[in-house]
Amino acid sequence: MIPRNAGFATRAIHHGYDPYAGSGGLTPPIHVSSTYSLPSAAEGGRRFAGDEPGFVYSRIGNPSTALLEARLASLEGAEAAVVTGSGMGAICSVLWTLLRPGDELLTDETLYGCTFAYFHHGLREFGIEVRHIDLRDPANLEANIRPNTRGVYFETIANPNMRVIDVAGVCDVARRHGIWTVVDNTYLTPYLLRPIELGADYVVHSATKYLSGHGDLLAGVVAGTQEGISRVRLQGVKDFTGSVLSAYDAHQVLRGLKTLSLRMDRHNASAMAVASYLSRHPAVARVFYPGLPGDPGFEVMSRQARGCGGVIALELVRGQPAALEFLDRLALVIRAVSLGDCESLVQHPATMTHSTYTPEERAQHGISDGLVRLSVGLEELEDILADLEQALCGLG
Ligand code: PLP
């Protein structure tokens, strides 16, 4: 039995599972059943109507995913959560639930590439207006809300250019105007920042990243109120996207969560050291990391988060050609998209994760062709720095 007021790391390891119950296994079993027996026809009907608890079919819920959902809700400070087959599954499931033709969604200038594509090639083609505004100043939201504006969507730190949003400031304006907020907290995790405690309605994650942390699965989560999550589960996930997480992958995310706080402390410390090293290197024109004093997001992040996470962006003095050469020279740091893994990863957003934007859109949305995204892993800091040093040598 864990204490009522158990801290983050304790809940990340124990919440929702009693090792003395059932078989007595220290770790929870993996429930692979796709469907569930119904004690009677009448009870089956009541379970379907939501009048009685109990599992019916794994697209709606299963004991393995339910345990992960309870644990993630506890960590996010939310009433409830629903897990999905990927981060994009989470984003699509919540937005298809909340938006209808004629509605407007306001969002920040910069978004992860596939979220941008979903908004522009998905939502817009179904009659939903999507408008980008500079959300770094919450006053811009106040000035831009129209009668058909239904909600606001943003990333706590924007992928890939590290813009920082004042979560409490934006959520406060949204709440006063009766519109909802969906916040992508992938870069920070609930260990570093909890948007719901700052007034957000829904939090989404690519659990593929830090939450699972080992680069061996795809997963997503939406957290929010009991009522809101029930809608997302029964419409967004069950009927609209079918984006379901397997019991095996739910088990792997539970395993990753046990070390989340330790991993994030190390990611924070190493990324901070790497960012300061890069900011002093003559081949580097600019480093984007809000843990650095002087970064435009420094003050807001010092106020709202426990750390800035493990992702850094940088531009080299000699632009895109040097950036691509830098990628090719790295030996320990692996050229790969994704982030939040134990391994340090590097990629070039303009030709990789953000090639979903046209070149004009990238210019308009603040993603330069020379930008490099580095996800600082858990290797020895000295080894990461040595690899960066040899790759940058002579590129200035
Ligand atoms: N949100 C952010 C900020 C991301 O970086 C990503 C993936 O890179 C996603 C959402 C999508 O997650 P997934 O790849 O798990 O679908």
Side-chain angles (χ1 to χ4, degrees):
M1 192 72 155
I2 64 170
R4 251 183 192 300
N5 57 351
F8 188 94
T10 307
R11 283 178 288 126
I13 295 169
H14 292 280
H15 183 89
Y17 180 65
D18 178 0
Y20 292 102
S23 68
L26 176 66
T27 59
I30 302 175
H31 293 262
V32 295
S33 204
S34 52
T35 195
Y36 288 83
S37 56
L38 306 166
S40 69
E43 172 146 355
R46 286 196 295 276
R47 284 193 191 178
F48 267 85
D51 295 337
E52 240 175 70
F55 296 102
V56 294
Y57 190 62
S58 282
R59 184 152 31 80
I60 306 166
N62 146 311
S64 295
T65 53
L67 173 59
L68 175 59
E69 289 168 352
R71 200 163 288 181
L72 287 168
S74 163
L75 297 180
E76 279 291 354
E79 286 176 17
V82 57
V83 290
T84 54
S86 69
M88 284 313 298
I91 294 165
C92 294
S93 297
V94 67
L95 291 181
W96 284 134
T97 304
L98 295 175
L99 289 165
R100 293 294 174 268
D103 290 349
E104 180 185 68
L105 175 67
L106 290 177
T107 187
D108 185 46
E109 300 285 359
T110 310
L111 293 168
Y112 164 60
C114 296
T115 306
F116 182 84
Y118 168 50
F119 287 3
H120 288 257
H121 310 146
L123 295 178
R124 272 190 179 166
E125 297 198 8
F126 287 85
I128 292 153
E129 289 174 47
V130 178
R131 198 153 43 95
H132 294 269
I133 59 174
D134 185 351
L135 275 178
R136 287 174 302 181
D137 180 358
N140 282 336
L141 176 61
E142 187 103 49
N144 273 284
I145 294 171
R146 293 175 178 162
N148 68 334
T149 306
R150 292 286 168 268
V152 189
Y153 181 99
F154 62 91
E155 297 167 0
T156 43
I157 294 188
N159 182 353
N161 57 12
M162 308 294 292
R163 288 159 66 97
V164 167
I165 309 290
D166 171 353
V167 180
V170 168
C171 293
D172 176 55
V173 175
R175 201 146 273 214
R176 279 193 282 106
H177 288 265
I179 61 175
W180 43 256
T181 40
V182 177
V183 180
D184 182 335
N185 196 27
T186 299
Y187 265 43
L188 290 173
T189 82
Y191 180 63
L192 301 180
L193 184 138
R194 285 182 290 281
I196 285 178
E197 292 176 1
L198 299 176
D201 293 303
Y202 295 92
V203 172
V204 294
H205 281 273
S206 168
T208 313
K209 311 297 191 302
Y210 292 108
L211 295 182
S212 58
H214 293 76
D216 52 7
L217 58 89
L218 277 97
V221 59
V222 186
T225 60
Q226 199 70 252
E227 191 194 343
I229 293 305
S230 174
R231 271 189 71 200
V232 176
R233 183 189 303 283
L234 296 177
Q235 286 196 324
V237 176
K238 175 171 81 67
D239 298 340
F240 293 176
T241 65
S243 179
V244 177
L245 189 67
S246 81
Y248 292 104
D249 287 340
H251 184 79
Q252 290 292 85
V253 180
L254 282 165
R255 177 183 169 131
L257 284 179
K258 293 184 184 184
T259 54
L260 179 65
S261 57
L262 289 173
R263 289 186 286 106
M264 292 316 291
D265 282 339
R266 173 77 168 239
H267 282 299
N268 278 339
S270 292
M272 190 60 218
V274 168
S276 346
Y277 158 80
L278 290 171
S279 66
R280 294 189 305 270
H281 199 286
V284 177
R286 196 163 165 201
V287 179
F288 303 80
Y289 187 69
L292 290 176
D295 185 278
F298 178 79
E299 191 268 321
V300 172
M301 282 302 281
S302 315
R303 192 160 25 92
Q304 73 181 7
R306 184 178 189 156
C308 297
V311 183
I312 295 172
L314 63 142
E315 284 168 350
L316 299 188
V317 171
R318 287 178 27 218
Q320 175 165 354
L324 297 178
E325 193 171 341
F326 171 59
L327 256 70
D328 283 339
R329 284 185 185 181
L330 285 164
L332 174 68
V333 178
I334 296 167
R335 281 176 303 282
V337 296
S338 204
L339 55 99
D341 291 330
C342 299
E343 295 82 358
S344 292
L345 305 178
V346 70
Q347 65 108 6
H348 178 235
T351 55
M352 298 175 189
T353 50
H354 291 68
S355 55
T356 48
Y357 290 62
T358 63
E360 297 72 34
E361 285 169 341
R362 276 197 301 279
Q364 206 181 324
H365 292 269
I367 303 165
S368 73
D369 285 346
L371 196 74
V372 170
R373 190 185 79 189
L374 176 64
S375 170
V376 178
L378 303 178
E379 302 94 341
E380 292 295 340
L381 175 61
E382 291 66 31
D383 295 332
I384 301 171
L385 291 173
D387 195 31
L388 296 171
E389 179 71 22
Q390 66 76 23
L392 286 170
C393 183
L395 285 184

